[in-house]
Amino acid sequence: MTDTATQILPPSTYFDAGWYEREQLELFSRTWRYAGTTDDLDRPGSYRSIQAGRHPLVVVRGQDGELRAFHNVCRHRGTAVLSGSGRVEKQIVCPYHNWTYGLDGCLRAVPQRNEVDRHLDRTKLGLHPATVAVWRGLVFVHPDPGPEPLDDWLGDLPERMAPHDPLRLVQVAADVHHIKANWKVFMENALDNYHLGYVHKDTLAGYDHKRQEQHACGDRHWFFYEPPLKPGRVTPREAGLKPIATEPRWYGSSFGLFFPNLFVLSSATLWASVEVTPTGPETTTFEMRTRVLPGQGGRLAAAGLAEAVLGLGRRILRKQPTYDLIEEDVFCCEAVQTGIRSPYFSVGPIAYRYERGIQAFQRNVLDYVPLER
């Protein structure tokens, strides 16, 4: 690496197994983690399990309607008491030895209690508490029972974001993508707005890339916005869908980066979450869940917008096959991952106006996982 002014993280941090483990322990185990939306947890007993770094967690809707988060670790042998997502009735039963917990996390029953310990104090063996908080219908969890409050953590990011309310919208797509690149490569690609007019010259042709805005928010987060080429009008890709917001500014494209690994995207007609999950030093999974106003299934099908707007498969433009937006980005990320292992890898001068978010992101990573001396 020859230019530390433009590339703050050494190349090895994008493929080294030891660094990956440090990120899991020192970054993802110490920050707020996205856990879905409140309508994923709409009834008592609804739950979602989440991995926050090295902490398996579970969020549960209680009989009283409250959301609670716990470490997904049975107090007997450490078994995960719930997996995936779903709904239980009035209690949580460990699948290994049937230790039973209430939806409030308290230990309710121990089979063959006298065999285990006739003096066992159930009040001291409830599930370890974690923390849950909600912002605009988005559920976040933290392994620590007393972390920095979510509102403080988010800083001024909520004030900059489009006013779309995901709970007023309906989910029309939920897609999981697996890529052969380090998670930071994917995050940095999203923060690299220099490439928009080149890689995405067809897929994002309706936006004015030269009038984009970028803002650091709070201590960790980032906001991006660019207007449509025709002010106050939806882009051709979105024609036929009902606008979610009427304020002309939000006819553009924007995203908020919730550090370290969540993007919330919005345009005139859609809202989407993109949750990025490291699965290894050089592999990443991301899930994109897209929502629009209710009652537009027919419009999506008729206009072909399931492909054109939501990026669900190939599009045909000018009678030539091209990649959709997601495929274009995945191609670039995997190409960078190939190059970053080269002894000749280096980063040259950056387009500061368009790429400065990358440097801010790298500094934030280093604040949690400092370089070893």
Side-chain angles (χ1 to χ4, degrees), residues 296-308:
Q296 299 190 84
R299 291 175 181 237
L300 283 169
L305 291 175
E307 295 180 356

Side-chain angles (χ1 to χ4, degrees), residues 58-72:
V58 63
V59 183
V60 182
R61 177 80 69 179
Q63 293 293 338
D64 57 1
E66 294 295 317
L67 288 176
R68 295 178 177 85
F70 307 103
H71 287 261
N72 196 4

Side-chain angles (χ1 to χ4, degrees), residues 3 27 30 40 60-61 65 85-86 96 98 128 151 179 181 194 209 230 252 255 259 261 289 295 298 311 368 371:
D3 192 347
L27 173 59
R30 296 168 54 203
D40 293 326
V60 182
R61 177 80 69 179
S85 60
Y96 202 176
N98 278 34
H128 290 293
D151 288 345
I179 65 174
Y194 185 32
H209 308 311
K230 296 181 178 180
F255 71 72
F259 184 82
N261 64 327
R289 300 173 65 183
Y368 284 88
L371 295 175

Side-chain angles (χ1 to χ4, degrees), residues 161-285:
M161 298 201 42
H164 299 1
D165 179 359
L167 301 185
R168 290 182 53 238
L169 311 176
V170 294
Q171 184 168 295
V172 292
D175 298 282
V176 177
H177 302 263
H178 306 283
I179 65 174
K180 297 177 182 179
N182 182 270
W183 73 280
K184 297 186 295 298
V185 171
F186 184 85
M187 300 298 294
E188 292 174 13
N189 172 78
L191 291 164
D192 174 355
N193 299 306
Y194 185 32
H195 78 286
L196 299 182
Y198 309 105
V199 176
H200 306 307
K201 62 182 181 297
D202 292 319
T203 47
L204 295 180
Y207 296 103
D208 190 342
H209 308 311
K210 294 183 179 180
R211 290 199 296 137
Q212 62 181 247
E213 302 173 15
Q214 298 187 66
H215 303 278
C217 300
D219 293 330
R220 304 294 177 200
H221 316 293
W222 200 259
F223 175 76
F224 165 84
Y225 167 82
E226 63 180 4
L229 285 170
K230 296 181 178 180
R233 296 179 61 181
V234 299
T235 65
R237 298 174 77 232
E238 299 177 87
L241 282 179
K242 295 178 182 178
I244 298 171
T246 57
E247 184 180 345
R249 172 177 173 82
W250 301 119
Y251 277 50
S253 173
S254 68
F255 71 72
L257 162 59
F258 294 68
F259 184 82
N261 64 327
L262 173 70
F263 291 100
V264 172
L265 315 176
S266 65
S267 71
T269 62
L270 64 85
W271 177 99
S273 63
V274 181
E275 182 183 17
V276 181
T277 302
T279 55
E282 296 184 87
T283 56
T284 300
T285 294

Side-chain angles (χ1 to χ4, degrees), residues 35-50 58-62 65-68 85-86 132 134 139-141:
T37 56
T38 53
D39 54 4
D40 293 326
L41 299 154
D42 56 350
R43 294 188 294 166
S46 299
Y47 70 88
R48 285 175 68 87
S49 59
I50 304 99
V58 63
V59 183
V60 182
R61 177 80 69 179
E66 294 295 317
L67 288 176
R68 295 178 177 85
S85 60
V132 62
V134 177
V139 180
F140 292 85
V141 293

Side-chain angles (χ1 to χ4, degrees), residues 349-362:
I350 67 166
Y352 179 77
R353 180 184 168 198
Y354 300 112
E355 297 179 289
R356 59 192 178 93
I358 297 173
Q359 295 173 309
F361 171 76
Q362 292 181 2

